[in-house]
Amino acid sequence: MTTFDEREQGFERKFALDQELEFKAAARRNRLLGEWAAGLMGLATAEEYARAVVKSDFEQPGDDDVFRKVFEDLKGSGVSIGEGEVRMKMAELLAQAREQIKSGE
């Protein structure tokens, strides 16, 4: 095996690991977002709602399905919140989730 082949395999392994970590961070962000939204809505079953938010991420590629679920649920329960606030919370929680995963939490 040549040095080039070894480098290529190393980059492929790093890419796969990065993708796995990003998937885990997004799933953790969705759980945290669900817990946050459940608190705003006053739900007694925050864990159950958080699981529903995580599941909603598998409907379409990207974050729009998660955003749509949480935003519509918040509006439906009478919580006065803007789209920008929810998107900012999603970004904040994604950064927090990445840090938690890097630190091994």
Side-chain angles (χ1 to χ4, degrees), residues 6-73:
E6 291 171 358
R7 287 188 66 206
E8 181 180 23
Q9 287 179 350
F11 283 123
E12 288 173 358
R13 283 191 298 273
K14 182 178 180 337
F15 178 78
L17 179 61
D18 289 346
Q19 291 299 307
E20 180 182 346
L21 293 175
E22 193 60 24
F23 175 80
K24 288 179 181 179
R28 183 170 297 197
R29 185 265 329 259
N30 294 341
R31 182 180 53 80
L32 293 170
L33 183 68
E35 291 171 355
W36 170 77
L40 290 178
M41 292 185 284
L43 299 178
T45 56
E47 280 297 317
E48 186 177 317
Y49 183 74
R51 279 193 295 274
V53 172
V54 170
K55 286 181 184 178
S56 74
D57 193 23
F58 298 112
E59 293 173 9
Q60 299 173 351
D63 294 334
D64 287 337
D65 45 358
V66 173
F67 167 78
R68 189 171 35 258
K69 174 174 183 36
V70 171
F71 184 69
E72 289 175 2
D73 289 349

